[in-house]
Amino acid sequence: MDLNVLWFVLITVLFIGYFFLEGFDYGVGILLPFLGKDDGERRVLINTIGPFWDGNEVWLLTAGGAIFAAFPHWYATLFSGFYLALFLMLVALIVRGVAFEFRSKDDRPSWRSLWDWLIFVGSLLPALLWGVAITNLIRGVPINGQMQYVGTFWHLLSPYTLAGGMTTLLLFTFHGALFLALKTRGELEERARRAAVLVGAVAAPALVLLVFLSYSQIGLAGRAGATVAFWGAVVLLLAAYWLSRTGRYGLAFVGNGLAIVFSTVAFFSALFPRVMVSSLYPQWSLTIYNASSSPYTLKVMTIVALTLVPVVLLYQGWTYWVFRHRVGKEHLEY
């Protein structure tokens, strides 16, 4: 395996970690206005992800940094072509982070309600836009021979990419509901369980529809690895839905998390060795070779990553272990 392939794999792993971990706290944010019936309950919901949400976003920052350093042409084309979509996502993430910190600084109901709805919007937009972005990468966007995006914002919207956005939105919301079923108690736990069953019933057909659309939109039939991963994700999601209906929420959470993992693997394996597909001319697509940094840069990055990543993983694992208990109204920080 050469370093170009290694860094494509590492970036895939970073996005897997990001979607698995950030997926459930997006889901909690989306469900916040609907499951929390009063301020105390909404504080409990926020406190279930309070110790984790910013650590989860480190996976995204690391993935972005890895793309910038390992594949600078990919970074340049992606951020110029998807500028408005990524700008909206960035604003949503900033507003969401500010809302977590600001909502409990004032007791007025109107103040807290405002920040609660901003958490909702700041969670819903990225959950939707990530699906739109990933499906655009693989379906193809207008890129010319100079590796420049020559389309507009509206080129990014199509029935297929919107189906991708709705699927990630539903998968993350299902993930969040299952997480809350494991982290809350009493009436909140019961509401989270009912929400999981309801959202799971919609998420499963949405993923099946996306897989069928992928056959015509990205030529899925010719990519055996991606096909297996896609259908594996469907089976895991159906299993998670069945487990949630039978009250086994821990296994359901693992099953849906693996469905997210398999879906991400499917998209990146269908993309490989390309990193952005040109819809104008296949030869103008960006690949791990024509978009990469020099071999020396990749070598230095590999040494740094192998040294520091285990430390980050240990720290984040320790955080989840310390805050593993269910959350009640007695010890609230946010």
Side-chain angles (χ1 to χ4, degrees), residues 18 82 113 131 149 151 176 186 205 235 262 267 270 305 314 324:
Y18 174 65
F82 293 11
S113 177
Y149 180 82
V235 170
F262 272 62
F267 276 112
L314 284 173
R324 66 189 182 281

Side-chain angles (χ1 to χ4, degrees), residues 23 26-28 30-31 127 168-178 196 199:
Y26 283 154
V28 172
I30 292 166
L31 293 169
T168 52
L169 174 64
L170 290 166
L171 280 175
F172 293 161
T173 307
F174 186 37
H175 209 34
L178 292 169
V199 178

Side-chain angles (χ1 to χ4, degrees), residues 15-226:
F15 274 105
I16 288 172
Y18 174 65
F19 290 143
F20 184 96
L21 296 173
E22 188 79 342
F24 68 73
D25 68 47
Y26 283 154
V28 172
I30 292 166
L31 293 169
L32 176 66
F34 308 106
L35 297 188
K37 299 302 181 186
D38 56 40
D39 182 63
E41 290 186 347
R42 286 189 286 274
R43 289 192 68 190
V44 169
L45 294 176
I46 292 171
N47 275 267
T48 60
I49 56 173
F52 311 123
W53 70 268
D54 45 0
N56 294 342
E57 290 188 356
V58 169
W59 289 78
L60 174 61
L61 297 175
T62 309
I67 292 174
F68 173 76
F71 304 107
H73 294 298
W74 179 13
Y75 185 91
T77 306
L78 177 68
F79 277 76
S80 59
F82 293 11
Y83 183 81
L84 182 56
L86 293 175
F87 173 76
L88 288 173
M89 190 184 297
L90 182 62
V91 170
L93 291 174
I94 292 173
V95 167
R96 182 169 175 268
V98 172
F100 284 133
E101 301 297 333
F102 273 40
R103 80 170 300 282
S104 295
K105 303 297 183 186
D106 195 311
D107 292 334
R108 287 175 296 168
S110 58
W111 170 270
R112 295 193 169 188
S113 177
L114 168 67
W115 291 112
D116 288 342
W117 282 105
L118 289 175
I119 290 173
F120 167 76
V121 174
S123 303
L124 183 141
L125 262 183
L128 177 72
L129 290 174
W130 273 118
V132 174
I134 294 290
T135 44
N136 266 302
L137 285 182
I138 194 169
R139 176 175 174 268
V141 290
I143 297 174
N144 65 17
Q146 288 74 46
M147 299 184 183
Q148 294 175 347
Y149 180 82
V150 291
T152 66
F153 172 76
W154 303 110
H155 282 100
L156 303 177
L157 302 179
S158 69
Y160 179 63
T161 58
L162 291 175
M166 287 304 300
T167 302
T168 52
L169 174 64
L170 290 166
L171 280 175
F172 293 161
T173 307
F174 186 37
H175 209 34
L178 292 169
F179 178 77
L180 288 174
L182 298 172
K183 290 289 290 182
T184 55
R185 299 193 291 254
E187 181 60 28
L188 262 181
E189 179 186 355
E190 187 55 38
R191 276 183 227 140
R193 291 179 173 187
R194 289 199 297 267
V197 173
L198 182 65
V199 178
V202 186
L207 181 59
V208 172
L209 174 64
L210 181 65
V211 174
F212 276 115
L213 287 175
S214 296
Y215 279 93
S216 60
Q217 295 293 316
I218 64 173
L220 185 62
R223 295 180 175 273

Side-chain angles (χ1 to χ4, degrees), residues 20 174-175 177-179 181-182 193 196 233 235-260 326:
F20 184 96
F174 186 37
H175 209 34
L178 292 169
F179 178 77
L182 298 172
R193 291 179 173 187
V235 170
L236 286 163
L237 180 58
L238 290 172
Y241 173 63
W242 176 74
L243 288 165
S244 68
R245 287 184 62 88
T246 56
R248 284 173 280 186
Y249 298 99
L251 289 174
F253 179 77
V254 173
N256 187 59
L258 288 175
I260 292 172
R326 289 180 184 268

Side-chain angles (χ1 to χ4, degrees), residues 4-12 71 268 272 274-275 288:
N4 300 62
V5 176
L6 175 65
W7 274 98
F8 182 84
V9 172
L10 288 176
I11 288 169
T12 304
F71 304 107
F268 276 88
F272 181 82
R274 304 161 300 174
V275 289
I288 59 172

